[in-house]
Each structure stands twice: as C-alpha cells, then as structure tokens.
Amino acid sequence: KHIWSFVKIWRNKFRNSMKDYDTTLQWIIFTNEHYFVGSIGDGLACSKGKSFYLFPQAKQLFSNLTVSLTGCTESSIQLTKRISEPMLLLTATDGISNDLKIENLPQMLRYMEQQILLDAVAFQQELRSWVKNWETVKHTDDRTIGILFIKGRE
C-alpha cells in the first residue's frame, strides 16, 4: 500500500509531461528487523545469505513489455519481505540483468561477497570497470547496479 501511495504521489507531480520522466523502479527498504525488496518493471533483485534468493519480479526478465511508473497498477508492484543476515543484496537494471545467466547468479554473488570481505575498495574499482566496459549487444539500456553487503549485527 505504501509503495502504491508513492506512485500516486509521483504521478500527481506531473501535468502532461509524465512520460518524459518514465522509469522502472527497484528498492530495498530496511527496518530494524526486516528488509523489503520490490520493483516496478524489469531488472533484477536477488540476495545471498544462508541461501540464494531470486526475488519474484526477476522471474520475467526477458519480456518486450516493460511495466513502468506511468503504466503500473497496484497489482503489478512486486514486494517481498525476507529476514536473513549476514547477506549480500544485488539490484540491477535490465541493461545488466538481460545479459546475466540466472543459473550463474549464486556463484557471482559468492564471488562478490568474497571480494568485498577481502578488499572492498579494490572490488569497488573492479565493479566500476565491469559497468564501464560492459558490452551490450543490440541495446543501449542503462547499466546500473547496486550492491549492499550486510555483515550482521555486532
């Protein structure tokens, strides 16, 4: 309900030019005991804690129809509540997610977690290089990736 309220408020900020600012949206919201992951539109959201989890919106990665903020309905908003720490959360726009093989995601997240623990600054530089040099065949989608690593409560 809160995300749908956000969408309605966002839509009300525009008169006739809303389509000029259309976008998909992925989010991670934290409270003291839970995190909420959700999306409107395509892209990817997954986590690796004790086990790997691919969030529901990512199951339809490769459709030609993109749901977006201007065209979504309350029922098209995907939201999942999970509790697990420590963990690594990954979100990516379709400019990245369309090129990833779903079956390789657990290994990729394991590699990311190892590199962050080894040297987070070096991994940040490596990740920048990945995104900068990401070869995209037949599309010019943006290449945005977000990684959040939670070590656990001290």
Side-chain angles (χ1 to χ4, degrees):
K1 297 279 182 195
H2 295 296
I3 299 299
W4 181 241
S5 296
F6 164 80
V7 171
K8 292 191 295 187
I9 290 168
W10 181 84
R11 288 177 177 174
N12 287 332
K13 298 288 182 188
F14 303 96
R15 301 259 184 248
N16 297 324
S17 62
M18 182 171 53
K19 289 274 186 191
D20 292 339
Y21 302 95
D22 200 9
T23 186
T24 58
L25 177 66
Q26 297 175 43
W27 63 88
I28 301 171
I29 300 171
F30 288 88
T31 66
N32 287 334
E33 298 180 14
H34 301 88
Y35 70 88
F36 300 87
V37 178
S39 76
I40 297 171
D42 51 13
L44 171 73
C46 57
S47 71
K48 181 204 164 296
K50 292 179 181 177
S51 60
F52 173 76
Y53 189 78
L54 182 65
F55 291 95
Q57 78 278 13
K59 290 181 182 173
Q60 299 172 358
L61 287 173
F62 306 106
S63 84
N64 289 330
L65 177 62
T66 299
V67 176
S68 63
L69 282 172
T70 61
C72 72
T73 62
E74 188 171 7
S75 63
S76 66
I77 297 172
Q78 299 290 324
L79 179 65
T80 303
K81 179 173 75 169
R82 302 270 300 156
I83 305 170
S84 177
E85 290 187 60
M87 73 171 59
L88 184 130
L89 290 156
L90 171 78
T91 61
T93 56
D94 63 335
I96 296 229
S97 66
N98 285 355
D99 296 338
L100 298 176
K101 293 181 179 177
I102 300 301
E103 62 273 13
N104 293 339
L105 283 174
Q107 295 91 330
M108 186 175 97
L109 267 62
R110 192 174 314 112
Y111 170 79
M112 290 177 167
E113 181 179 34
Q114 290 168 349
Q115 295 307 304
I116 290 168
L117 289 170
L118 184 65
D119 186 342
V121 174
F123 178 67
Q124 185 177 9
Q125 293 168 345
E126 179 181 349
L127 190 61
R128 280 189 183 131
S129 177
W130 286 4
V131 173
K132 182 180 177 184
N133 298 309
W134 198 279
E135 292 187 27
T136 54
V137 180
K138 298 182 183 177
H139 66 78
T140 57
D141 283 340
D142 65 278
R143 296 177 308 260
T144 305
I145 190 167
I147 299 172
L148 180 64
F149 180 64
I150 303 169
K151 284 185 176 180
R153 301 188 195 272
E154 303 281 326

